[in-house]
Amino acid sequence: MGVYVVTGAASGMGRAAADKLRALGHTVVGVDLREAEVVADLGTGQGRRSAIEQVLAAAGDRLDGVVLAAGVGPAPGADRPRQIYEVNYRGVVELLDGWRPALAAAGEARVVVFGSNSTTTVPAVPGRAIRALLAGDVERALRAVRIFGRNAPAIAYAASKIAVTRWARRRAVTADWAGAGIRLNVLAPGAVLTPLLEKQLATPAEAAAIRGFPVPIGGFGDPDDLADWVLLMLSDSARFLCGSVVFVDGGSDAYFRPDVWPRAVPLRGLPGYLRRFRGFRAR
Ligand code: NAI
């Protein structure tokens, strides 16, 4: 049996994944604002440092897997973009950097980061915001979404999820992660009926936008189904899964952008491709 950390373990998909892991006999160290083994605010630097330390103290410097499900949704509010960046981006990357040695110590560890299909279905997300987050500059990322006014939280949310997805894909293939036996992958859900979505549905304007959003199979996702995908991505069957983004979204991503991906490397991308090709060192 393994030792797993689940952030956002008190609600929604994080809670469903933690329950399923416990039911299989694994030890789960939940991290959340409340009702968790480790109570910490991932929206502050101090809270994140405390979460890293408390988890290592509880787990004993060896982790078989981590699920990063804590997240803040795109509800309206002037301070919301900052909370979104702090929790959805920093609350993932700083924790994973802190726990990486413990994941490597397990020999064959797995990490599932919660992304979102907002990464490919929200239009006009400024590249500046994404680049600023990846460079660690939250203030610049905030300035990049200010012009969107009351839509700023929705744009910041998509930017946070694009940035965290790119961060994960960049790290996943490196010697420190893939080379250390850690499989780092991203799960990208569409609208799933959890307390996060229920809060948005309670606001009439947001509810209309959510219910009118194209979902080819119709309806909302079930948190239990998404938790099963998490368990699959933590299982032995995922040993060849590395840096992947798994969309489980009722078809919205495919509906909007059927031809965007997969796409061959264009001719102008050839120099970069060849540089990476020649720079590769097999394990
Ligand atoms: P939820 O709201 O049910 O659960 C999120 C959990 O994160 C809560 O228990 C909350 O207390 C915790 N959390 C929030 N801020 C925190 C902080 N500062 N410190 C510590 N914990 C904090 O949400 P849900 O829907 O289960 O979301 C899980 C993940 O999936 C999130 O990253 C969300 O962005 C993502 N997602 C959700 C979708 C949906 O439709 N529900 C769609 C796509 C992605």
Side-chain angles (χ1 to χ4, degrees):
M1 289 296 114
V3 178
Y4 293 88
V5 181
V6 179
T7 73
S11 174
M13 293 181 269
R15 183 184 187 142
D19 286 349
K20 283 180 191 272
L21 285 166
R22 286 196 186 99
L24 290 172
H26 298 296
T27 300
V28 175
V29 183
V31 181
D32 210 304
L33 290 168
R34 57 180 199 284
E35 295 170 46
E37 285 73 16
V38 169
V39 172
D41 181 357
L42 302 180
T44 69
Q46 196 186 0
R48 293 188 287 268
R49 283 190 293 278
S50 158
I52 292 168
E53 283 161 23
Q54 288 189 67
V55 162
L56 293 176
D61 291 347
R62 184 185 177 284
L63 293 172
D64 294 286
V66 178
V67 178
L68 290 304
V72 176
D79 202 36
R80 199 62 168 192
R82 184 182 295 279
Q83 287 168 19
I84 287 169
Y85 289 158
E86 292 288 340
V87 179
N88 298 7
Y89 183 75
R90 284 186 163 162
V92 173
V93 308
E94 290 181 17
L95 267 51
L96 283 179
D97 276 341
W99 292 332
R100 198 205 63 82
L103 288 160
E108 237 197 54
R110 310 266 189 265
V111 176
V112 181
V113 170
F114 270 82
S116 165
N117 79 341
S118 67
T119 50
T120 57
T121 62
V122 173
V125 180
R128 280 194 324 280
I130 299 157
R131 286 192 296 276
L133 286 177
L134 284 163
D137 191 341
V138 164
E139 300 307 320
R140 193 151 55 90
L142 284 170
R143 287 197 294 278
V145 298
R146 214 168 274 156
I147 51 160
F148 293 95
R150 65 185 179 82
N151 291 323
I155 301 292
Y157 181 81
S160 75
K161 294 295 187 179
I162 296 173
V164 84
T165 300
R166 288 195 192 163
W167 183 93
R169 281 168 59 78
R170 288 177 185 185
R171 295 298 181 289
V173 296
T174 61
D176 279 350
W177 294 83
I182 309 167
R183 298 294 171 264
L184 170 54
N185 294 288
V186 178
L187 182 60
V192 178
L193 201 53
T194 65
L196 184 149
L197 188 67
E198 280 161 5
K199 266 180 232 150
Q200 290 180 264
L201 290 171
T203 314
E206 279 193 79
I210 291 165
R211 292 196 190 280
F213 192 79
V215 181
I217 70 156
F220 298 128
D222 177 338
D224 261 351
D225 289 351
L226 271 293
D228 283 336
W229 283 92
V230 171
L231 261 69
L232 182 65
M233 292 167 78
L234 294 175
S235 74
D236 286 349
S237 307
R239 66 170 65 89
F240 207 49
L241 193 70
C242 175
S244 291
V245 184
V246 180
F247 278 80
V248 182
D249 76 340
S252 305
D253 171 63
Y255 173 79
F256 277 110
R257 314 219 300 171
D259 301 326
V260 169
W261 185 92
R263 177 174 282 187
V265 177
L267 211 50
R268 67 187 147 73
L270 210 53
Y273 174 86
L274 290 174
R275 229 179 2 260
R276 289 186 81 78
F277 196 106
R278 292 187 189 120
F280 180 73
R281 297 280 166 270
R283 286 188 71 190

